[in-house]
Coordinates of all heavy atoms in Angstrom, one line a residue:
D205 N -13.3 160.7 -32.6 CA -12.9 160.8 -34.0 C -11.5 161.4 -34.2 O -10.8 161.0 -35.1 CB -14.0 161.7 -34.8 CG -15.3 161.0 -35.0 OD1 -15.3 159.7 -34.9 OD2 -16.3 161.6 -35.2
Q206 N -11.2 162.4 -33.3 CA -9.9 163.0 -33.4 C -8.8 162.1 -33.0 O -7.7 162.0 -33.6 CB -9.9 164.3 -32.5 CG -10.8 165.4 -33.0 CD -10.3 165.9 -34.3 OE1 -9.2 166.5 -34.5 NE2 -11.2 165.8 -35.3
L207 N -9.1 161.3 -32.0 CA -8.2 160.3 -31.5 C -7.9 159.3 -32.6 O -6.7 158.9 -32.9 CB -8.7 159.5 -30.3 CG -8.7 160.3 -29.0 CD1 -9.5 159.6 -27.9 CD2 -7.2 160.5 -28.5
E208 N -8.9 158.9 -33.3 CA -8.8 157.9 -34.4 C -8.0 158.5 -35.6 O -7.1 157.8 -36.1 CB -10.2 157.5 -34.9 CG -10.1 156.4 -36.0 CD -11.5 155.8 -36.3 OE1 -12.3 155.6 -35.3 OE2 -11.7 155.5 -37.5
Q209 N -8.2 159.7 -35.9 CA -7.5 160.4 -37.0 C -6.0 160.5 -36.6 O -5.1 160.4 -37.5 CB -8.1 161.7 -37.3 CG -9.5 161.7 -38.0 CD -10.0 163.0 -38.3 OE1 -9.3 163.9 -38.7 NE2 -11.3 163.2 -38.1
H210 N -5.8 160.8 -35.3 CA -4.4 161.0 -34.9 C -3.6 159.7 -35.0 O -2.5 159.6 -35.4 CB -4.4 161.5 -33.4 CG -3.0 161.7 -32.9 ND1 -2.2 162.7 -33.4 CD2 -2.4 161.1 -31.9 CE1 -1.0 162.7 -32.7 NE2 -1.1 161.7 -31.8
L211 N -4.3 158.6 -34.5 CA -3.6 157.3 -34.6 C -3.3 156.9 -36.0 O -2.2 156.3 -36.3 CB -4.5 156.2 -33.9 CG -4.7 156.3 -32.4 CD1 -5.7 155.3 -31.9 CD2 -3.3 156.1 -31.7
K212 N -4.2 157.2 -36.9 CA -3.9 157.0 -38.4 C -2.7 157.8 -38.8 O -1.8 157.2 -39.5 CB -5.1 157.4 -39.2 CG -6.3 156.5 -39.2 CD -7.3 157.0 -40.1 CE -8.6 156.1 -40.1 NZ -9.7 156.6 -41.0
S213 N -2.6 159.0 -38.4 CA -1.5 159.9 -38.9 C -0.2 159.5 -38.4 O 0.9 159.8 -39.0 CB -1.8 161.4 -38.5 OG -1.7 161.5 -37.1
I214 N -0.1 158.9 -37.2 CA 1.2 158.5 -36.6 C 1.5 157.1 -36.9 O 2.5 156.5 -36.4 CB 1.3 158.8 -35.1 CG1 0.2 158.0 -34.4 CG2 1.1 160.3 -34.9 CD1 0.3 158.2 -32.8
G215 N 0.7 156.4 -37.7 CA 1.0 155.0 -38.0 C 1.0 154.0 -36.9 O 2.0 153.3 -36.7
Q216 N -0.1 153.9 -36.1 CA -0.2 152.9 -35.0 C -1.4 152.1 -35.3 O -2.4 152.2 -34.7 CB -0.3 153.6 -33.7 CG 1.0 154.3 -33.3 CD 0.9 154.8 -31.8 OE1 0.0 154.5 -31.1 NE2 1.9 155.5 -31.4
P217 N -1.3 151.1 -36.3 CA -2.4 150.3 -36.6 C -3.0 149.4 -35.5 O -4.2 149.2 -35.4 CB -1.9 149.4 -37.8 CG -0.4 149.4 -37.6 CD -0.1 150.8 -37.0
E218 N -2.1 148.9 -34.7 CA -2.6 148.0 -33.6 C -3.4 148.8 -32.6 O -4.5 148.3 -32.1 CB -1.4 147.4 -32.9 CG -0.6 146.4 -33.8 CD 0.5 145.7 -33.0 OE1 0.7 146.0 -31.8 OE2 1.2 144.9 -33.6
A219 N -2.9 149.9 -32.2 CA -3.7 150.8 -31.2 C -5.0 151.2 -31.9 O -6.0 151.3 -31.2 CB -2.8 152.0 -30.8
L220 N -4.9 151.5 -33.2 CA -6.1 152.0 -33.9 C -7.2 150.9 -33.9 O -8.3 151.1 -33.7 CB -5.8 152.4 -35.3 CG -6.9 152.9 -36.2 CD1 -7.6 154.0 -35.6 CD2 -6.4 153.2 -37.6
G221 N -6.7 149.6 -34.2 CA -7.6 148.5 -34.2 C -8.3 148.2 -32.9 O -9.5 148.0 -32.8
A222 N -7.5 148.3 -31.8 CA -8.1 148.1 -30.4 C -9.0 149.2 -30.1 O -10.0 149.0 -29.4 CB -6.9 148.0 -29.4
F223 N -8.7 150.4 -30.5 CA -9.5 151.6 -30.2 C -10.8 151.5 -30.9 O -11.9 151.7 -30.3 CB -8.8 152.8 -30.6 CG -9.5 154.1 -30.5 CD1 -9.8 154.6 -29.2 CD2 -10.0 154.8 -31.5 CE1 -10.5 155.8 -29.0 CE2 -10.7 156.0 -31.4 CZ -11.0 156.5 -30.1
R224 N -10.8 151.1 -32.2 CA -12.1 150.9 -33.0 C -13.0 149.8 -32.4 O -14.2 150.0 -32.3 CB -11.7 150.6 -34.4 CG -11.3 151.8 -35.2 CD -10.9 151.4 -36.6 NE -10.6 152.6 -37.5 CZ -10.1 152.6 -38.7 NH1 -9.8 151.4 -39.2 NH2 -9.9 153.7 -39.4
E225 N -12.3 148.7 -32.0 CA -13.1 147.6 -31.4 C -13.8 148.1 -30.1 O -14.9 147.7 -29.8 CB -12.2 146.4 -31.1 CG -12.9 145.2 -30.6 CD -12.0 144.0 -30.4 OE1 -10.8 144.0 -30.9 OE2 -12.4 143.0 -29.8
A226 N -13.0 148.8 -29.3 CA -13.6 149.3 -28.0 C -14.8 150.3 -28.3 O -15.8 150.2 -27.6 CB -12.5 150.1 -27.2
R227 N -14.6 151.1 -29.3 CA -15.7 152.1 -29.7 C -17.0 151.3 -30.1 O -18.1 151.6 -29.7 CB -15.3 153.0 -30.8 CG -14.3 154.0 -30.4 CD -14.1 155.0 -31.6 NE -15.2 155.9 -31.7 CZ -15.3 156.9 -32.6 NH1 -14.3 157.2 -33.4 NH2 -16.4 157.7 -32.7
Q228 N -16.7 150.3 -30.9 CA -17.9 149.5 -31.4 C -18.6 148.7 -30.2 O -19.8 148.7 -30.2 CB -17.4 148.5 -32.4 CG -18.6 147.7 -33.1 CD -18.1 146.8 -34.2 OE1 -17.1 146.0 -34.0 NE2 -18.7 146.9 -35.4
T229 N -17.8 148.2 -29.3 CA -18.4 147.5 -28.2 C -19.2 148.4 -27.3 O -20.3 148.1 -26.9 CB -17.3 146.8 -27.3 OG1 -16.6 145.8 -28.1 CG2 -17.9 146.1 -26.1
I230 N -18.6 149.6 -27.0 CA -19.3 150.6 -26.2 C -20.6 151.0 -26.9 O -21.7 151.1 -26.2 CB -18.4 151.8 -26.0 CG1 -17.3 151.4 -25.0 CG2 -19.2 152.9 -25.3 CD1 -16.2 152.4 -24.9

């Protein structure tokens, strides 16, 4: 959750999207 919030704050939508997809798959 902290990683996700950090990616939002620094404006990295692509990394955030890949990260969310990985979380969902896991």
Side-chain angles (χ1 to χ4, degrees):
D205 287 343
Q206 292 298 295
L207 286 168
E208 184 168 323
Q209 290 181 42
H210 181 65
L211 290 173
K212 284 182 182 178
S213 69
I214 62 176
Q216 291 191 6
E218 292 183 3
L220 178 60
F223 178 70
R224 283 176 171 171
E225 185 176 348
R227 288 190 70 176
Q228 187 176 48
T229 297
I230 291 171

